[in-house]
Structures are given as structure tokens and as C-alpha cells.
């Protein structure tokens, strides 16, 4: 199955078959396809999270209220972990 990595789309230089954990040999070609889909999904979620972190750090926030007593502006003035803790459980 490692030879199948050569012909897969997305294989680029300088490390066309970068697989340090040897995951390509764990199962069938369906398993490899599942690994690739999971990698794409998690990388996209990480990109969105990074964008949200940078937007918050730049002081950009939604107008209005998150709940009856918490505004988006008040959350934007906090550090990210503190803002996460200040969000009400019920929304």
C-alpha cells in the first residue's frame, strides 16, 4: 500500500510520501481514504479556530449580546480562555 501513496492526489515535493508514523500500512485502501478525509476535516477546523483566535486578538467582535447579561464586546476584551469560561452554558 505504501507504493499507492506515489499516485495519490496531493502528493507534493519535497516530501511526497511523508508518513512518519507509517499509517498508510495500517489497513486497506478504504482505511487510508478515511485517514485522508479525517486529516482534511481536522486541518480545516484548525484553520477556522486560528482565524477566530486572530480576529478576537485584533479586537474585532460581533455587535450585540450573546445572552441577556454577556455582550460580545465584553468577551472580546478578555483573554481567550477567560472568554470561554464567561460564556453561559445555556447560550
Amino acid at each position: 500500500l505504501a507504493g499507492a501513496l506515489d499516485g495519490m492526489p496531493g502528493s507534493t515535493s519535497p516530501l511526497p510520501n511523508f508518513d512518519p508514523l507509517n499509517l498508510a500500512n495500517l489497513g486497506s485502501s478504504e482505511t487510508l481514504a478515511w485517514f485522508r478525509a479525517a486529516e482534511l476535516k481536522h486541518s480545516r477546523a484548525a484553520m477556522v479556530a486560528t482565524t477566530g483566535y486572530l480576529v478576537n486578538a485584533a479586537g474585532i467582535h460581533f455587535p450585540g449580546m450573546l445572552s441577556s447579561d454577556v455582550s460580545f464586546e465584553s468577551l472580546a476584551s478578555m483573554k481567550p480562555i477567560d472568554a470561554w469560561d464567561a460564556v453561559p452554558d445555556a447560550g
Side-chain angles (χ1 to χ4, degrees):
L1 219 134
L5 289 177
D6 292 329
M8 293 187 87
S11 181
T12 60
S13 295
L15 301 170
N17 297 331
F18 184 71
D19 187 15
L21 299 177
N22 206 18
L23 295 175
N25 296 323
L26 282 181
S28 65
S29 58
E30 289 83 17
T31 304
L32 182 58
W34 185 85
F35 283 153
R36 290 188 61 158
E39 181 180 10
L40 283 173
K41 177 176 68 172
H42 291 105
S43 64
R44 289 174 181 159
M47 286 186 271
V48 169
T50 301
T51 302
Y53 186 90
L54 294 173
V55 166
N56 185 37
I60 301 169
H61 54 82
F62 291 112
M65 300 293 285
L66 177 64
S67 69
S68 60
D69 58 343
V70 178
S71 70
F72 287 108
E73 186 175 2
S74 68
L75 294 175
S77 65
M78 299 178 189
K79 293 181 179 179
I81 300 297
D82 297 333
W84 181 265
D85 289 336
V87 173
D89 292 333

